[in-house]
Amino acid sequence: MYASLKSIASYIPPTCISNTDFEKVLETSDEWITKRTGIKTRYFAQSHQQTSDLAYEAGKLAMERANVKPQDIDAVIVATLSPDYLTMPNTACITAFKLGIENKPAFDISAACSGFIYLLCLAKSFIESGTFRQILIIGAEKLSSVLDFSDRSTCVLFGDGAGACVIGSTEDKNAAILDVHLGANGRYQDFLCTPRTHTSFGQEIEIARSCVQMKGNEIFKLAVKTLVADVDEILKANALQPQDVSFFIPHQANLRIINAVGENLNFSKEQIIISVQKYGNTSAASIPMAMNDLYMQKQLKYGDLMLLDAFGGGLTWGSALVYFGGK
Ligand code: UT7
């Protein structure tokens, strides 16, 4: 019995912000953003929408596409760095409740932009060990709630959105989550982080500011190196060549990173899936959102082999080889 990705769905929030919109409020330009990142637009949630609302929309569609009812889901796991609440309740609890899934385990994981790969690893283990029969995994971010909109070096890079999958089981190895590799190193914790105010006994409480801070240049170099090494490792471990993969779906942070990694690994243009120009960097949601675009363009068929690769705050990273097991 193998774990299998049965459906893919995403939710894109309604407000489209172009680079030109940023030109009006910041010292930046469409030319700079396009040249350095490839990003042209990103979507932001409305103020009343929380991360769980975005997760709910993607999760609901993923369940419909997998033809499963709320009572058929044994657990809900959400990856996010922009939860509804600071520490509790977790966003998965709220999302599950909104979806009509009650009295089932629901928890969040924190692995920043690698969150979706970490979700796949967990789901694969839970299904293959027999702990759960069907799991809803969701990468969801309202990054606009943790951005400093006066910091041009970060705020133009990110967007909001959610991507969800139902993970079930199969006896067909060609519809399985074949392999997942994960890594992390806290040595680089300050390269990409959201600092918070810590309270302590006897001190006055300050209003906490916890916006994304990034050492872009340092992250860039490490990202290319790590993503290339990651892909190389998982392909070798499974005796596969780049040409054996139907689609290479990397984390969508920067077009220059994606192109550098793609060229280094000799993937063809047709194999590399790019959506960063539309959505910006949506962290844990970026890979499932790109995967859903592929699905909506009717390019993704049962048995197609996807190679997923992510890198982000922590630092964390991960890669996965996944046969599409949906219809
Ligand atoms: O998702 C997790 C992983 N994250 C990543 O992988 C992100 C990796 N990093 C990057 O994508 C790039 O480093 C950035 C896009 C963030 C920055 O690109 P860069 O080519 O590394 O630019 P830089 O940080 O070296 O900045 C170059 C110049 C600076 O000006 P000076 O010091 O040369 O005068 C910045 O102040 O560009 C300036 N700058 C901007 N100018 C116009 C920074 N942000 C902007 C902006 N508009 N929005």
Side-chain angles (χ1 to χ4, degrees):
M1 190 69 86
Y2 303 101
S4 179
L5 193 148
K6 296 287 186 189
S7 67
I8 173 72
S10 79
Y11 174 71
I12 301 153
T15 311
C16 181
I17 303 289
S18 69
N19 293 345
T20 327
D21 292 325
F22 272 112
E23 282 178 358
K24 292 172 198 152
V25 291
L26 277 175
E27 201 180 309
T28 189
S29 65
D30 174 44
E31 193 198 347
W32 190 96
I33 302 171
T34 307
K35 202 167 145 204
R36 302 287 178 127
T37 71
I39 299 166
K40 296 298 279 184
T41 54
R42 72 287 291 143
Y43 292 81
F44 287 150
Q46 292 178 302
S47 55
H48 69 270
Q49 288 181 303
Q50 299 303 325
T51 300
S52 62
D53 295 308
L54 316 187
Y56 161 81
E57 296 291 350
K60 185 166 167 274
L61 193 54
M63 282 163 54
E64 276 167 26
R65 287 182 179 164
N67 200 18
V68 298
K69 303 256 173 306
Q71 59 269 27
D72 301 327
I73 296 291
D74 294 336
V76 178
I77 320 175
V78 170
T80 187
L81 68 82
S82 47
D84 289 20
Y85 290 86
L86 180 61
T87 59
M88 62 179 174
N90 69 52
T91 304
C93 276
I94 306 164
T95 307
F97 175 69
K98 287 176 179 168
L99 287 165
I101 303 167
E102 292 188 69
N103 307 319
K104 299 285 175 63
F107 60 96
D108 291 357
I109 59 149
S110 168
C113 302
S114 313
F116 188 72
I117 310 289
Y118 273 66
L119 283 176
L120 283 173
C121 185
L122 277 174
K124 178 173 160 61
S125 308
F126 278 138
I127 299 289
E128 291 179 1
S129 64
T131 308
F132 301 126
R133 289 167 302 123
Q134 285 189 114
I135 306 178
L136 181 63
I137 59 169
I138 311 174
E141 302 286 8
K142 187 181 175 184
L143 294 176
S144 59
S145 68
V146 289
L147 291 176
D148 175 352
F149 283 101
S150 65
D151 175 10
R152 66 177 184 174
S153 69
T154 52
C155 73
V156 301
L157 305 174
F158 297 95
D160 300 341
C165 296
V166 171
I167 310 293
S169 60
T170 183
E171 286 174 3
D172 180 3
K173 196 176 178 190
N174 292 321
I177 299 173
L178 192 59
D179 199 7
V180 187
H181 288 204
L182 303 178
N185 194 339
R187 180 189 296 268
Y188 310 105
Q189 58 189 275
D190 62 336
F191 278 21
L192 184 49
C193 56
T194 51
R196 59 169 277 237
T197 306
H198 293 250
T199 58
S200 63
F201 179 70
Q203 275 191 357
E204 266 182 48
I205 296 174
E206 291 170 29
I207 299 295
R209 269 171 65 86
S210 51
C211 295
V212 170
Q213 292 179 6
M214 181 165 74
K215 294 184 178 170
N217 262 304
E218 283 89 334
I219 288 261
F220 191 102
K221 286 176 225 146
L222 273 179
V224 175
K225 216 167 101 189
T226 310
L227 288 167
V228 169
D230 239 14
V231 167
D232 215 40
E233 183 191 292
I234 201 166
L235 285 176
K236 279 204 179 103
N238 290 276
L240 291 168
Q241 301 292 327
Q243 61 267 27
D244 298 325
V245 166
S246 317
F247 300 108
F248 173 53
I249 313 181
H251 169 50
Q252 308 284 317
N254 185 315
L255 187 59
R256 288 189 294 147
I257 297 179
I258 297 172
N259 286 339
V261 173
E263 277 164 28
N264 205 298
L265 293 160
N266 287 322
F267 285 112
S268 69
K269 272 209 159 85
E270 293 68 37
Q271 282 173 298
I272 305 172
I273 304 309
I274 299 169
S275 61
V276 68
Q277 72 283 8
K278 286 188 285 184
Y279 307 133
N281 180 348
T282 57
S283 192
S286 96
I287 288 180
M289 284 172 78
M291 202 191 289
N292 181 68
D293 278 9
L294 198 61
Y295 175 80
M296 291 308 289
Q297 289 153 11
K298 305 215 180 303
Q299 287 189 60
L300 191 59
K301 303 180 304 296
Y302 180 91
D304 278 343
L305 181 58
M306 297 177 279
L307 173 51
L308 318 177
D309 197 14
F311 180 86
L315 297 175
T316 58
W317 57 90
S319 55
L321 280 164
V322 181
Y323 287 109
F324 185 55
K327 300 216 173 67

